[in-house]
Amino acid sequence: MRENILAPRPSKVWKNARIIGASCQHAFNPKGTAPLYFLMQLDPHKSIDWKKQRSLPNDGLIVLSNERTSHVMASIFVRKCDDPGEWLQHPGGPIIGVKFHHAAEVQKAIRDVAENKSINEIFQKNVEKLAKATDGKEKIGALPNDLKANFKTYDVTEVSDSFFAYKPVLESLRS
């Protein structure tokens, strides 16, 4: 949150996001059904009060990109900030649920989960070490460099709120 009007706006780009799993838990949908969504973990940052922070809103549109893939659009399906040690409060970095809109993107995400599986298991073993670190630099430095380099990662960019009025048009142009 900005302290005054002259302060720069917080960045809407999250580096080193990785897809670590998939789920279709029904608890997140009051209708009793839920689409397949993917768990995306972001790099740990300085402490953020996720209840006040407006970043990564439910149903928010994000764009995933890296040097190997073109831009992929997705929606945030799960944003939970109430559970200590889970979701946005996870000591290894905030986790959100992401829903893709096209079959090819879902297939690519499934491949990413498979590629990141063994690396993520090692990462999760280091979560206790990360939880003891006090700031973001120490947390990121707590992971072995070769482990960080092996993750298939993306840069996640939050799309402006005013963009939602154009979402159907842009998705139809994309097809």
Side-chain angles (χ1 to χ4, degrees), residues 3 5 32 48-49 58 75 82 88 98 121 126 131 138-139 147 155 175:
E3 296 296 323
I5 196 142
I48 296 175
D49 184 356
N58 269 336
S75 298
D82 299 330
L88 292 172
V98 174
E121 288 171 357
N126 285 305
E138 287 181 29
K139 287 182 181 184
L147 179 62
D155 292 340
S175 300

Side-chain angles (χ1 to χ4, degrees), residues 5-174:
I5 196 142
L6 298 176
R9 291 187 181 274
S11 174
K12 290 196 171 211
V13 177
W14 302 80
K15 301 284 186 181
N16 298 319
R18 54 213 167 267
I19 299 173
I20 59 170
S23 182
C24 58
Q25 277 188 318
H26 301 291
F28 300 118
N29 190 348
K31 295 178 185 172
T33 61
L36 177 66
Y37 63 90
F38 293 87
L39 305 175
M40 179 168 283
Q41 188 166 34
L42 311 170
D43 263 355
H45 287 275
K46 61 181 184 239
S47 71
I48 296 175
D49 184 356
W50 287 103
K51 289 180 182 176
K52 293 180 183 176
Q53 183 74 14
R54 292 180 11 190
S55 293
L56 305 171
N58 269 336
D59 295 324
L61 193 62
I62 57 174
V63 176
L64 284 67
S65 62
N66 66 19
E67 63 277 349
R68 291 171 277 172
T69 60
S70 59
H71 300 295
V72 175
M73 293 174 65
S75 298
I76 297 173
F77 185 71
V78 179
R79 181 196 193 274
K80 288 189 68 173
C81 58
D82 299 330
D83 302 334
E86 296 181 24
W87 294 100
L88 292 172
Q89 305 291 336
H90 194 277
I95 297 175
I96 56 174
V98 174
K99 181 174 62 173
F100 294 99
H101 302 280
H102 299 285
E105 295 163 354
V106 171
Q107 291 171 349
K108 191 183 294 185
I110 291 170
R111 282 193 298 271
D112 286 355
V113 170
E115 288 177 19
N116 285 340
K117 184 180 184 311
S118 61
I119 303 164
N120 192 54
E121 288 171 357
I122 297 167
F123 178 82
Q124 293 304 325
K125 289 178 184 175
N126 285 305
V127 165
E128 288 178 24
K129 186 176 179 182
L130 291 169
K132 292 176 185 174
T134 56
D135 69 3
K137 288 182 183 176
E138 287 181 29
K139 287 182 181 184
I140 293 168
L143 287 175
N145 286 331
D146 59 334
L147 179 62
K148 291 186 285 185
N150 289 328
F151 266 126
K152 182 167 184 183
T153 62
Y154 296 92
D155 292 340
V156 174
T157 306
E158 293 180 67
V159 178
S160 172
D161 295 342
S162 62
F163 183 77
F164 293 110
Y166 304 101
K167 180 181 171 186
V169 174
L170 292 173
E171 284 189 348
S172 67
L173 289 173
R174 186 170 176 238

